[in-house]
Amino acid sequence: MKNSLTQYTELFAQYRQVLEQNAAPVLNNLRDAALNVLNSAGLPTAKSERYRYCDVQKLLEPDYGLNIRRVTSGRNLYRDFRCAIPKLEADLFHTENDVPVLPPDYDVRKALASDVCVVTLRQASDLLPEIVQQHLHSLASQHNDGLMALNTLLSQDGWLVYAKGGSAQKHTVQVVNTATGRTPMMMNRRLLVIAEPGASLDLILCDRTDGDAGFLSTQVTEVVIGEGADVKVSVLDETNQHTTRFSNLLVRQDVNSRFTLNELTLGSGQSRSTTDVLLAGGGAYVELNGTVIADGSQLADHNIEVVHAVGGCQSDMLYKYVLGDSSVGAFAGKVLVRQDAQQTISQQTNANLCTSDTARAFSQPMLEIYADDVKCNHGSTVGKLDEAALLYMRQRGIEENEARLLLQHAFVNEVLERIDLQPLRDRLSHLVEQKFRGRLGKRCKGCDFCG
Amino acid sequence: MLEIRNLHAVVEGKEILKGVNLTIGDGEVHVLMGPNGSGKSTLSHVLVGNPRYEVTEGSITFNGKDILALSPEDRSHEGIFMSFQAPIEIPGVSMTNFMRAAINAKRKYLGLEPLKGSEFLNLLREKRQIVGLDAHFMSRGVNEGFSGGERKRNEIFQMAMLEPTFSILDETDSGLDVDALRIVAEGFNRLRNEKTSAMVITHYQRMLDYLKPDFVHVLMDGQIVREGDAQLGYDIENRGFDWIRETV
């Protein structure tokens, strides 16, 4: 019987030629090294410190199909997709499963000349070879991680979002990843974000599913931020409950740069998000925010590591979970302050609200400090809804369910309020409310797109 | 309006109320006094339906309805309001959203349409003025960052918004300076009419001065042991509770 890993490595060995013929050439150069990592380290197990709450091997056991010939449904996502964020002005791009689909009539030459250039990795291999070769896998290669290696072994294409410096105007790019199809599929997505010195970028990544099939996605996103650049990434997961989602986000920040992450996990049956940030230039600032609303038997596992490699940087982490039914939330956040990283300021908070007796929260904030002139603190709480607040609201006539909803929403509002893009904040707040009301995934009026 | 008969209640296995009898008519203000731990707040919480308190015997009827069968929210809709002794802070729920949810829940119960945005904001403005609560409090979380006095004023503001027919003021005067007490008491008095009644728990004569209650009751060890007019309150202020305890 094939195990979780060999079913993919054997498939790779058998179909390597077809896979590579249909892939961005720049990705093909990475596969041998990925195979070596998988052969030596294998997939993570529960014994790996960073994977204590997520059984990767078990989640990879099902026999998912791979779309190595890059067949697409032919559906016009740009026409059919109507759930865009109201009032948001953004350049919209769609990924069907793991195939990046450019907008109809997309002018690549014009894109290359604009302040923020979005092209597929396949196009980037031809059009921006030096840039993509310099940066693609530059962060992932620093980690001996089996999951990322599996993605690197099998991924065939992805997006390059390239923000150039020198433009004062902020650009917003939205990438909607839709998993679609009637049979269980594995998709391996890749995203490279480069912000040149002084560039400014808002990137919104939405993961969704079309239909009820079970999907597995691995996604590796590398974000390279130059001096003084400002990058905000917002990630929305509203995939169906049969989805297993592995996400690796790797960030490297140069001098005086800013990076903000806002993650909202509403969907996925099983989700694992790993975020690694390297503060490599003095004066860099990173803010990592996360909200999880889980119910049923969902698992939402966030594992974060911020490395203060140099002095004078700041990091701020705020993750809040609302866990209902038999859901499980796991948070492990580590801040590593290296010996030379004097005058580091770091704040880390994880708060969990369990709304049922069977929900479980695991919280593991960690500080590892080798410098002596630092200001670091962390905190973690796990609790239930405040019965006194509930009574207060009910005494004013607010129905119990509505009062619970308001209190739960209030609990996560602190995180949502950190999103400074108003239309996005409003949209995410709306989705949070829909999730609390059990209406997430219900079709919007006039739209037959999502399930 | 309110009939409490032989009311027994326990909290965490301990009997606190041991046969309370009390009748409150339309337009009447009753003051409830008693030493600490005598059951005054327990009675308040039982009246509003706090699920921590279990009624083991007796009845409460409000305008002819058995309110023990009603949820806390339905008791509120029926016209019962409590100004909490320690109003809770609810960060993240703005006062405006909180009051909108409360007002529209009541309107739904009464079969009315939700208030339009402008109507609601006008109502908010009008009622704020009764207790001099500044507009900026409305965008804050419920009681978030409010001082003790502001919290108590906020309670009376909410009372003004919801227009209850029966109000419980559980030590609304405690912790207030003289000016804040005046504002709160005058605000309460402005909301009184011949159809509204109140049960006021207090330890202080100054509250009696402002409210001029119709009746004063003394609760001791879970029972009402003495009843009288406002003079009884002043006697307690002067002599304490021991002289009553000796006669029980």
Side-chain angles (χ1 to χ4, degrees), chain A residues 430-451:
Chain A
H430 169 74
L431 291 174
V432 164
E433 185 175 335
Q434 295 294 93
K435 171 83 177 184
F436 281 136
R437 291 188 188 281
R439 293 185 194 150
L440 195 71
K442 298 276 191 297
R443 290 176 185 192
C444 306
K445 198 176 174 184
C447 177
D448 60 358
F449 185 75
C450 47

Side-chain angles (χ1 to χ4, degrees), chain A residues 386-389 391-402 406-407 409-411 413 417, chain B residues 45 48 50 72-73 76-77 80-82 84 88 90-93 98 102 105 142-143 155 158:
Chain A
D386 183 350
E387 293 295 328
L391 176 73
Y392 189 79
M393 299 177 90
R394 296 179 74 189
Q395 206 300 301
R396 298 309 187 237
I398 300 170
E399 285 176 16
E400 184 177 1
N401 282 344
E402 193 68 19
L406 279 169
L407 287 173
H409 207 143
F411 177 75
N413 251 354
E417 280 172 1
Chain B
H45 279 266
V48 299
N50 186 336
E73 46 269 39
S76 168
H77 299 322
I80 296 176
F81 177 88
M82 176 154 93
F84 282 73
I88 197 93
I90 313 176
V93 178
F98 176 62
V142 176
N143 293 318
E155 294 292 285
Q158 292 174 48

Side-chain angles (χ1 to χ4, degrees), chain B residues 88-159:
Chain B
I88 197 93
E89 190 174 292
I90 313 176
V93 178
S94 75
M95 270 306 297
T96 302
N97 286 344
F98 176 62
M99 284 322 301
R100 186 184 284 118
I103 288 281
N104 286 333
K106 180 168 187 178
R107 290 180 68 85
K108 187 180 170 190
Y109 185 81
L110 299 174
L112 299 170
E113 289 290 310
L115 272 188
K116 287 180 187 157
S118 56
E119 291 171 339
F120 172 74
L121 291 175
N122 286 339
L123 185 70
L124 212 61
R125 191 179 308 119
E126 178 199 327
K127 302 296 186 184
R128 272 196 295 105
Q129 287 163 0
I130 291 175
V131 285
L133 208 55
D134 199 77
H136 77 270
F137 288 105
M138 296 300 110
S139 55
R140 283 205 212 160
V142 176
N143 293 318
E144 191 178 7
F146 287 34
S147 69
E150 286 159 353
R151 286 184 187 208
K152 297 299 175 79
R153 274 198 277 165
N154 191 22
E155 294 292 285
I156 303 301
F157 158 71
Q158 292 174 48
M159 180 181 154

Side-chain angles (χ1 to χ4, degrees), chain A residues 240-259:
Chain A
N240 72 27
Q241 59 179 330
H242 308 297
T243 299
T244 296
R245 181 177 181 273
F246 294 116
S247 162
N248 284 80
L249 173 67
L250 305 135
V251 184
R252 184 189 190 280
Q253 292 185 239
D254 212 330
V255 177
N256 293 330
S257 63
R258 291 179 70 88
F259 177 69

Side-chain angles (χ1 to χ4, degrees), chain A residues 4-18:
Chain A
S4 304
L5 179 59
T6 54
Q7 67 171 331
Y8 294 109
T9 52
E10 286 178 11
L11 186 138
F12 172 74
Q14 193 176 349
Y15 290 101
R16 179 170 188 165
Q17 195 180 354
V18 184

Side-chain angles (χ1 to χ4, degrees), chain A residues 165-177:
Chain A
S167 171
Q169 201 182 346
K170 186 132 191 164
H171 286 264
T172 304
V173 173
Q174 184 184 9
V175 177
V176 178
N177 298 317

Side-chain angles (χ1 to χ4, degrees), chain A residues 143-426:
Chain A
H143 297 262
N144 205 32
D145 180 282
L147 262 178
M148 275 195 285
L150 186 65
N151 173 283
T152 306
L153 186 77
L154 299 172
S155 62
Q156 292 173 276
D157 204 351
W159 293 104
L160 165 68
V161 179
Y162 176 31
K164 298 168 194 168
S167 171
Q169 201 182 346
K170 186 132 191 164
H171 286 264
T172 304
V173 173
Q174 184 184 9
V175 177
V176 178
N177 298 317
T178 302
T180 181
R182 290 182 183 164
T183 52
M185 289 282 294
M186 177 188 198
M187 47 209 74
N188 299 290
R189 298 173 179 146
R190 201 84 193 199
L191 174 61
L192 174 61
V193 180
I194 301 167
E196 282 191 340
S200 187
L201 175 70
D202 247 311
L203 179 62
I204 301 166
L205 307 172
C206 303
D207 278 14
R208 49 194 300 119
T209 40
D210 180 13
D212 293 327
F215 300 102
L216 182 140
S217 70
T218 71
Q219 25 207 335
V220 174
T221 301
E222 293 172 284
V223 184
V224 183
I225 308 176
E227 181 175 345
D230 183 2
V231 176
K232 291 186 172 70
V233 174
S234 301
V235 181
L236 166 64
D237 174 7
E238 50 173 337
T239 53
N240 72 27
Q241 59 179 330
H242 308 297
T243 299
T244 296
R245 181 177 181 273
F246 294 116
S247 162
N248 284 80
L249 173 67
L250 305 135
V251 184
R252 184 189 190 280
Q253 292 185 239
D254 212 330
V255 177
N256 293 330
S257 63
R258 291 179 70 88
F259 177 69
T260 310
L261 173 67
N262 291 297
E263 296 186 84
L264 174 58
T265 306
L266 301 176
S268 284
Q270 313 284 308
S271 73
R272 157 71 186 207
S273 301
T274 311
T275 302
D276 288 275
V277 179
L278 174 64
L279 297 167
Y285 175 84
V286 60
E287 184 180 302
L288 305 173
N289 307 310
T291 307
V292 172
I293 320 288
D295 54 19
S297 54
Q298 275 183 265
L299 163 75
D301 176 6
H302 285 98
N303 193 292
I304 300 165
E305 185 167 313
V306 174
V307 177
H308 286 255
V310 296
C313 296
Q314 284 189 47
S315 59
D316 187 358
M317 234 183 262
L318 175 64
Y319 276 72
K320 285 196 164 188
Y321 294 57
V322 178
L323 304 166
D325 301 331
S326 300
S327 62
V328 177
F331 170 86
K334 179 175 170 181
V335 174
L336 170 64
V337 181
R338 291 209 177 124
Q339 199 169 0
D340 294 334
Q342 302 295 353
Q343 298 188 316
T344 286
I345 298 174
S346 176
Q347 165 81 33
Q348 188 186 167
T349 306
N350 170 232
N352 300 277
L353 188 61
C354 292
T355 61
S356 77
D357 291 338
T358 46
R360 283 179 297 157
F362 298 95
S363 182
Q364 196 182 4
M366 289 172 279
L367 281 171
E368 196 174 320
I369 303 171
Y370 297 98
D372 49 19
D373 179 16
V374 300
K375 193 172 152 188
C376 300
N377 58 57
H378 61 184
S380 159
T381 59
V382 179
K384 291 187 167 187
L385 270 186
D386 183 350
E387 293 295 328
L390 205 55
L391 176 73
Y392 189 79
M393 299 177 90
R394 296 179 74 189
Q395 206 300 301
R396 298 309 187 237
I398 300 170
E399 285 176 16
E400 184 177 1
N401 282 344
E402 193 68 19
R404 286 183 184 279
L405 190 147
L406 279 169
L407 287 173
Q408 290 169 17
H409 207 143
F411 177 75
V412 297
N413 251 354
E414 185 189 358
V415 192
L416 298 176
E417 280 172 1
R418 288 186 166 203
I419 301 168
D420 60 6
L421 205 58
Q422 178 83 36
L424 179 64
R425 186 168 69 233
D426 292 346

